[in-house]
Amino acid sequence: MTEHFRDNETSNRFELDVDGAIAFVTYRKSPDTITLEHTVVSPELGGKGIGSKLARATLEAVRAQGRKLTVECEFIQGYMKKHPQDNDLLGAS
């Protein structure tokens, strides 16, 4: 299985390409923050841990960009509850 993660700024989403199938997290960016809106993992990628890999890569990308995070996406919220070490990314609400 070949995986490639990228920030597709044209489509406003982080993407994980798995053998040609794309899982993604949509976002809105401002100069200092990023809001994660929605995660989509196609049925053919379901049950393979792709959502968790996408969430991990997304949070690492946000950290690398030096932005604070707002999370509207329920999947990412759930992931962060299981991985509280990433809570430092959250902006003041």
Side-chain angles (χ1 to χ4, degrees):
M1 182 165 42
T2 304
E3 300 173 2
H4 176 71
F5 178 81
R6 67 184 157 263
D7 181 356
N8 182 339
E9 292 185 295
T10 303
S11 297
N12 294 316
R13 65 190 198 177
F14 292 109
E15 299 176 340
L16 183 61
D17 180 331
V18 182
D19 296 330
I22 307 292
F24 60 90
V25 177
T26 59
Y27 62 70
R28 293 186 313 271
K29 286 183 179 178
S30 69
D32 298 323
T33 62
I34 186 165
T35 300
L36 302 180
E37 301 173 312
H38 185 65
T39 299
V40 175
V41 178
S42 63
E44 72 247 30
L45 296 176
K48 299 177 183 176
I50 299 303
S52 293
K53 289 180 183 181
L54 174 61
R56 167 66 23 225
T58 295
L59 295 176
E60 289 173 2
V62 171
R63 188 176 303 283
Q65 291 176 13
R67 296 176 193 265
K68 284 297 183 182
L69 181 64
T70 302
V71 182
E72 295 175 353
C73 173
E74 290 180 13
F75 181 84
I76 300 291
Q77 288 171 350
Y79 181 88
M80 291 185 76
K81 284 181 183 173
K82 294 177 185 173
H83 301 89
Q85 69 270 18
D86 294 310
N87 287 344
D88 65 304
L89 291 171
L90 295 171
S93 31

